[in-house]
Amino acid sequence: MKNTIAERILDFLKGFPPFESLSRDQLLIISKQVKVSYFEKNSTVFKQQEALHDCFYVVKDGAIGIYRDQTLVDQCDEGDIFGLRAIIRKDQYLLHAIATEESIVYGIPATLIEDVLNTNIKANRFIIASFATNTRNPYSDEDKGTLFATETILQPNTSSFTEVQSASFSKNPITCKPKTTIQDAALIMSSNKVGSIIIAENHKPLGIITDKDLRNKIATGTHLIAEPVSAIMSSPVITFPDSITVAEAQIAMLKHEISHLCITKDGTIHSDLVGILSEHDIIVIHGNNPSVLIKEIKRALTAEQLRHIREKAQYLLQNYIEQSIPITFISNIISAINDAITKRCIRLSTKELELEPPTTFTWLAIGSQGRKEQLLLTDQDNALVYEDTTDNTDAKSYFLKLSEAVNQKLNTVGFELCPAKMMASNPKWCLSVSEWKSQFRTWITHPNTDKIMLCTIFFDYDYVYGNHNLVNEMSDSIFNAIDSYEIFLNFLGKNALTNPPPLSFFRNFLVEDSGDHKDQFDIKARAMMPLVDAARLLILSHKIKDVNNTINRYKKLCELEPQNSDLYESCIQAFRVLLRFRTQHGLKSNTSGRYIAIDRLSKSDRLKLKSSFKPIKDIQELIRIRFKLSQMM
Amino acid sequence: MSWFNKHKDLPEFYKTYLNAFEEDIQNIESVRFVVFDTETTGLNFKSDRILSIGTVAILNFQIDISDNFECFIKQETFNPETVEIHGILKEGSLSKISEEESIKLFLGHIKNAVLVAHHAAFDIAMINEALKRLDLPKLKNQVIDTGKLHKKTKYINDSKSYSLDELCRIFNITMHDRHTASGDAYLTAILFLKLTAKLKLKHKRLRLKHFFSWF
């Protein structure tokens, strides 16, 4: 019998995990068994301690608040599941479920879920994982079922993804006849600037001569240059079809101890020669790898060259993100490349000034670049510190000139000038050690909103180039000042709580309500900064120097406070998810990735983001208690 | 012919239907409501015919999707003018049954349930006419009209007739499968649940009689 209503329910359910991973038949069986309930606003679906219902629930319309005692712990809207944990554990309800607005809810019989769990691995994994990580959606389809796991488990073979791409080879190989003299062949090679020549007849490759043959067989006097090439050629040649992969090429070269492969139409020596693949070609293919890029950076002579290299790095980034390489690994590599580019810009600029620096200095990356969390090309944030001299005015004018040159070069590379002028070329951020120290001291002992904001940017500095000792001196001065004025940490704490975590994506309540980004979600301010601010505060309160990266800060905190390591671990995972999400989004939309249009997010992406909000709430609670902020606010 | 004899001549399925009413249900949570809708060839219950019937049952104020009925009926009368409303063609791809078969199945499904429909009088009349053509007595079920129930919950008794569309808009019910019997039955069922919630506000201990009495 036709069942129009069940089909409509199926259409709804199939858009949400774990139902999306079920077959249509399985889903139809479930849809036919659904019980539809309507709840007025403020009416109860189930109560804490209540005996189990015979079903779990999916929100169709409206919203259901999940409460522990009086506290709202979660908000479920369209497509969210609730009341499942109790069903699986066959235990009474531990939380209240109350309609926070009028709602229509689908009840799905408990007996059906067991069948699904037994027959569908993916749905099973979703359920298990949702309990293990305490989030409702621990995976999304895009991340192949392992939202959090991708961040911790390195997938094999991904670091060498170039191996399986097909190798590109020279399509116009230089050839000669078997009767050509060795001398003529060498002349052809020279005029074409190649290291090898194929001996061919009727387009079929017979043999090959390389530079090495000329060195070993001619220069040694074993053969005369007037002899035909056939006398010294290596024959037969090793042939492959044009579909050869990089890995196959490398293996063949190693196995035959040769440096060139002939590419023929059908891959045998009996078909037409179409190209030649050399060891050098392989190196070029591998060229788009970090160590080669860094070598190229070190050799670059202009900012334009550096920009070209940075563009390659962008492809690298895109590939890494697509390959689900751990985000920590990706950010280390991209930061290393950015650092190398900055260093090169500084070296090139010092040369241009044609004047040695009057004293030692240090170039600092600040803000997200200082934390090594900047994966996309965004505004530059930097500062400079120089050693005090007898005449600081001279020193300052030199370093301002230098900074200006560096800032301009970085701009050419693609790191745009900072509109807020958080750059070393700004006289305010190009200071001697003693000036920085007294500035930090003022910020710490006379905090106000603006100064606290500056602290959140400048305290995340990272050494990029120059004299290491200057950075140490700066760090020491920060801790000394904080020691004598500990209430500063409370101010910093207060600042860390200015962005309360979004509880969930719900209607429009957490999207930006004005300006250019109206109705978009500010992932940086709403989700990432709260975690960054919390990590900075806690690490400063432990007086830990030189740990600037948010993930590393939480790792350090795990060591220092093992009793809170669960919370810090969840912050690490949330931050990884957010950083990857922002990077992915930025690459896709070719923006900074900061503003996300909620209505264009898939449900699974929404759930993925949502799962990272809980740790924000928890870490802010810890800060509120530890720094006694409830009285201050 | 005496009532007894008449009863004796009734076909088995109708007797089973009648027997269901012997059971007396007091508890509102155990009352089975069957929300239904008919699509017809027109609005004249004498000359027009039922094209399809769709139902969904409510028990303990939950719509039970598994307890439903949906059928399409073979036509002798066919009114091309209404095709664009219900989309049911005389010879369509849907599998169809005879009117007799559909009535038999319908009665077997509704049993002694309280019937619920929007502007119920028309749908009930259509079913009763079909029963009459089969020489069978009228439906015995209690009937709730969601149109009337809506007015009741608002303490108004004007003559304005609210269509299902209008009430879906007022009550913020997402409409789909409008003008299929099952689709309309489902929308009516959601409307019924919302109206019941309003009625519950008035009657702390809601009883079946509250659905029928005025105030």
Side-chain angles (χ1 to χ4, degrees):
Chain A
M1 190 173 69
K2 190 171 157 59
N3 194 335
T4 310
I5 305 169
E7 283 168 24
R8 208 54 64 226
I9 289 172
L10 182 152
D11 286 341
F12 173 79
L13 290 179
K14 74 175 180 207
F16 304 103
F19 306 106
E20 60 186 11
S21 53
L22 304 185
S23 70
R24 195 175 165 85
D25 289 346
Q26 272 178 317
L27 212 42
L28 191 61
I29 292 169
I30 289 175
S31 301
K32 280 180 175 170
Q33 302 288 319
V34 162
K35 290 195 166 59
V36 184
S37 307
Y38 166 73
F39 294 93
E40 286 273 279
K41 187 175 177 180
N42 296 329
S43 61
T44 302
V45 183
F46 54 73
K47 286 200 195 89
Q48 220 161 324
Q49 314 296 332
E50 193 176 296
L52 269 189
H53 297 183
D54 55 6
C55 59
F56 67 96
Y57 299 96
V58 180
V59 182
K60 166 62 172 65
D61 291 314
I64 303 292
I66 306 295
Y67 293 83
R68 179 177 287 115
D69 302 319
Q70 305 299 320
T71 320
L72 180 67
V73 293
D74 200 358
Q75 175 105 279
C76 303
D77 67 358
E78 196 179 302
D80 286 338
I81 290 175
F82 65 99
L84 178 58
R85 185 187 294 238
I87 294 285
I88 302 268
R89 292 196 324 205
K90 300 187 168 58
D91 200 0
Q92 62 192 16
Y93 292 106
L94 298 176
L95 303 163
H96 300 291
I98 295 166
T100 50
E101 59 179 66
E102 63 163 359
S103 303
I104 290 171
V105 167
Y106 290 163
I108 297 176
T111 44
L112 285 177
I113 198 70
E114 278 184 35
D115 293 346
V116 170
L117 288 185
N118 290 334
T119 53
N120 188 303
I121 292 163
K122 201 169 170 193
N124 192 337
R125 205 162 47 175
F126 170 87
I127 307 280
I128 304 280
S130 72
F131 292 161
T133 57
N134 210 13
T135 58
R136 269 205 317 276
N137 188 335
Y139 76 79
S140 84
D141 218 26
E142 274 177 29
D143 281 354
K144 297 178 187 78
T146 46
L147 176 65
F148 281 151
T150 35
E151 299 302 338
T152 45
I153 302 163
L154 179 61
Q155 295 174 353
N157 294 329
T158 46
S159 56
S160 54
F161 61 88
T162 49
E163 310 301 285
V164 290
Q165 75 186 35
S166 58
S168 62
F169 51 87
S170 314
K171 304 252 169 21
N172 296 303
I174 306 301
T175 59
C176 64
K177 303 275 178 212
K179 286 184 183 134
T180 311
T181 63
I182 294 169
Q183 184 179 21
D184 286 346
L187 287 170
I188 295 169
M189 286 166 73
S190 293
S191 65
N192 284 290
K193 296 195 177 79
V194 293
S196 65
I197 188 164
I198 309 274
I199 292 86
E201 206 153 50
N202 301 326
H203 304 295
K204 313 274 188 298
L206 300 175
I208 184 169
I209 294 177
T210 66
D211 283 345
K212 197 175 160 193
D213 295 316
L214 299 178
R215 184 170 76 235
N216 289 343
K217 297 171 186 168
I218 308 301
T220 53
T222 317
H223 290 274
L224 297 174
I225 55 170
E227 289 179 42
V229 284
S230 54
I232 61 162
M233 69 181 186
S234 308
S235 180
V237 292
I238 306 300
T239 54
F240 276 92
D242 63 2
S243 58
I244 185 171
T245 65
V246 175
E248 284 172 321
Q250 281 181 308
I251 289 166
M253 287 177 187
L254 282 172
K255 194 170 140 195
H256 300 288
E257 293 181 353
I258 53 173
S259 55
H260 294 78
L261 301 174
C262 288
I263 308 298
T264 59
K265 255 188 188 156
D266 69 0
T268 70
I269 52 168
H270 307 295
S271 66
D272 286 3
L273 178 72
V274 291
I276 183 160
L277 179 67
S278 70
E279 215 168 10
H280 179 254
D281 293 328
I282 302 281
I283 292 165
V284 170
I285 289 160
H286 276 294
N288 203 359
N289 84 31
S291 56
V292 173
L293 288 182
I294 285 184
K295 269 185 212 151
E296 282 183 39
I297 290 168
K298 286 182 179 160
R299 287 197 298 260
L301 294 174
T302 64
E304 278 75 23
Q305 286 174 1
L306 287 171
R307 181 179 60 198
H308 183 65
I309 298 164
R310 186 60 181 79
E311 277 162 10
K312 285 198 212 165
Q314 202 68 2
Y315 288 120
L316 194 68
L317 172 63
Q318 202 151 359
N319 276 324
Y320 283 162
I321 290 281
E322 279 165 17
Q323 303 273 332
S324 296
I325 308 256
I327 197 79
T328 322
F329 174 80
I330 302 176
S331 54
N332 284 344
I333 293 210
I334 298 298
S335 298
I337 290 172
N338 290 348
D339 273 7
I341 289 176
T342 311
K343 275 182 200 162
R344 190 66 196 156
C345 287
I346 297 168
R347 287 222 175 83
L348 292 174
S349 301
T350 11
K351 260 188 217 157
E352 275 169 22
L353 288 179
E354 291 177 344
L355 202 67
E356 281 303 298
T359 176
T360 67
F361 72 99
T362 308
W363 186 271
L364 302 167
I366 58 174
S368 61
Q369 281 157 26
R371 290 192 302 273
K372 298 193 190 303
E373 283 154 16
Q374 194 52 268
L375 299 183
L376 301 159
L377 283 162
T378 53
D379 302 345
Q380 42 179 306
D381 287 322
N382 43 54
L384 188 143
V385 52
Y386 53 89
E387 201 178 347
D388 285 280
T389 60
T390 43
D391 186 0
N392 272 354
T393 1
D394 267 7
K396 182 148 184 158
S397 76
Y398 174 89
F399 287 117
L400 280 175
K401 255 188 246 165
L402 175 70
S403 301
E404 181 59 34
V406 177
N407 288 156
Q408 289 304 337
K409 284 195 173 57
L410 288 173
N411 187 41
T412 309
V413 172
F415 299 98
E416 282 177 23
L417 296 172
C418 173
K421 303 235 176 329
M422 299 287 185
M423 294 182 293
S425 57
N426 181 341
K428 278 161 82 183
W429 317 128
C430 177
L431 302 173
S432 73
V433 182
S434 61
E435 286 168 329
W436 272 116
K437 283 185 190 171
S438 79
Q439 176 147 282
F440 281 162
R441 193 163 189 88
T442 319
W443 289 355
I444 289 167
T445 54
H446 297 87
N448 62 24
T449 318
D450 289 347
K451 287 174 188 159
I452 290 286
M453 200 270 288
L454 291 172
C455 291
T456 64
I457 297 166
F458 284 92
F459 283 12
D460 291 341
Y461 53 70
D462 188 36
Y463 165 89
V464 176
Y465 180 91
N467 183 349
H468 246 299
N469 294 331
L470 301 179
V471 186
N472 276 334
E473 274 191 59
M474 283 168 77
S475 301
D476 287 342
S477 83
I478 292 178
F479 290 114
N480 288 336
I482 294 178
D483 264 350
S484 62
Y485 198 76
E486 278 205 13
I487 196 157
F488 167 76
L489 290 177
N490 300 62
F491 280 97
L492 203 58
K494 195 180 154 197
N495 174 73
L497 302 185
T498 44
N499 275 320
L503 191 58
S504 80
F505 286 105
F506 194 63
R507 302 292 181 268
N508 296 321
F509 94 78
L510 56 72
V511 295
E512 306 314 305
D513 51 11
S514 62
D516 290 350
H517 301 290
K518 196 174 181 305
D519 295 334
Q520 293 185 320
F521 174 62
D522 183 345
I523 190 174
K524 182 184 170 192
R526 294 306 193 106
M528 297 176 77
M529 287 320 287
L531 287 171
V532 169
D533 288 339
R536 179 190 311 106
L537 169 66
L538 292 167
I539 213 80
L540 281 177
S541 75
H542 280 288
K543 303 188 175 62
I544 301 296
K545 267 197 291 198
D546 300 334
V547 186
N548 290 333
N549 178 271
T550 301
I551 288 171
N552 290 339
R553 280 173 170 169
Y554 282 118
K555 280 186 183 159
K556 189 77 194 172
L557 288 167
C558 284
E559 282 170 34
L560 295 167
E561 303 171 22
Q563 72 279 17
N564 293 323
S565 61
D566 282 355
L567 171 56
Y568 296 141
E569 280 294 340
S570 70
C571 290
I572 291 175
Q573 298 202 323
F575 194 76
R576 283 175 176 157
V577 169
L578 293 166
L579 186 57
R580 175 183 294 277
F581 199 92
R582 180 178 173 185
T583 308
Q584 234 163 359
H585 181 73
L587 286 171
K588 217 186 279 174
S589 58
N590 204 17
T591 62
S592 70
R594 176 170 176 176
Y595 295 98
I596 295 168
I598 296 297
D599 52 357
R600 261 179 268 152
L601 281 182
S602 68
K603 181 70 185 178
S604 56
D605 276 347
R606 278 210 265 170
L607 290 172
K608 184 158 64 157
L609 277 182
K610 195 168 152 182
S611 70
S612 62
F613 297 160
K614 194 179 176 292
I616 303 176
K617 185 170 174 282
D618 294 345
I619 194 83
Q620 291 198 341
E621 197 49 42
L622 179 140
I623 287 172
R624 201 185 313 276
I625 293 166
R626 185 173 297 179
F627 297 93
K628 301 182 184 65
L629 293 172
S630 21
Q631 297 107 296
M632 272 178 79
M633 300 183 88
Chain B
M1 212 189 284
S2 75
W3 183 85
F4 180 76
N5 280 336
K6 199 177 171 185
H7 196 180
K8 205 179 174 185
D9 294 342
L10 291 171
E12 207 49 45
F13 75 88
Y14 199 89
K15 283 186 205 162
T16 317
Y17 166 66
L18 283 180
N19 285 338
F21 288 87
E22 312 265 298
E23 199 188 343
D24 192 20
I25 294 162
Q26 297 299 325
N27 192 348
I28 186 89
E29 278 77 27
S30 327
V31 173
R32 179 165 168 266
F33 296 90
V34 170
V35 190
F36 81 108
D37 182 63
T38 59
E39 292 300 312
T40 61
T41 55
L43 295 173
N44 184 328
F45 59 80
K46 291 280 177 201
S47 59
D48 283 310
R49 292 290 181 270
I50 301 171
L51 288 165
S52 78
I53 308 173
T55 80
V56 65
I58 293 175
L59 192 66
N60 194 14
F61 300 105
Q62 286 186 326
I63 301 172
D64 185 349
I65 304 294
S66 64
D67 189 0
N68 83 332
F69 173 73
E70 186 168 21
C71 75
F72 299 86
I73 300 164
K74 285 181 194 150
Q75 294 309 308
E76 268 115 59
T77 317
F78 183 71
N79 181 356
E81 283 163 30
T82 57
V83 169
E84 60 186 60
I85 295 177
H86 48 66
I88 302 170
L89 298 169
K90 194 175 179 188
E91 310 291 336
S93 58
L94 294 161
S95 71
K96 292 179 190 147
I97 55 178
S98 68
E99 186 175 78
E100 182 176 2
E101 182 68 11
S102 74
I103 290 297
K104 199 168 152 181
L105 291 171
F106 178 68
L107 294 187
H109 166 68
I110 62 172
K111 303 188 185 76
N112 65 339
V114 176
L115 295 179
V116 180
H118 195 70
H119 298 153
F122 175 74
D123 300 278
I124 295 289
M126 288 303 295
I127 302 274
N128 281 339
E129 280 302 312
L131 284 164
K132 200 168 153 189
R133 282 191 288 277
L134 299 169
D135 284 326
L136 291 170
K138 293 179 175 180
L139 289 169
K140 306 290 176 218
N141 308 63
Q142 286 180 289
V143 178
I144 295 171
D145 179 351
T146 43
K148 286 185 184 155
L149 189 60
H150 163 60
K151 288 181 186 173
K152 187 173 148 60
T153 55
K154 295 188 67 176
Y155 297 97
I156 47 159
N157 196 5
D158 56 19
S159 54
K160 182 175 176 1
S161 167
Y162 290 88
S163 70
L164 186 56
D165 278 342
E166 282 172 302
L167 289 183
C168 282
R169 266 192 288 277
I170 292 169
F171 286 91
N172 198 18
I173 298 168
T174 323
M175 284 183 275
H176 39 58
D177 300 302
R178 186 78 178 87
H179 298 299
T180 66
S182 281
D184 282 358
Y186 180 76
L187 294 177
T188 310
I190 297 279
L191 177 63
F192 177 71
L193 289 183
K194 292 199 173 197
L195 293 171
T196 304
K198 298 243 178 298
L199 206 60
K200 275 181 178 167
L201 297 178
K202 257 182 263 173
H203 306 283
K204 279 285 161 255
R205 261 190 57 71
L206 185 69
R207 304 235 197 134
L208 191 53
K209 66 173 185 190
H210 295 134
F211 285 95
F212 303 101
S213 62
W214 192 257
F215 300 120

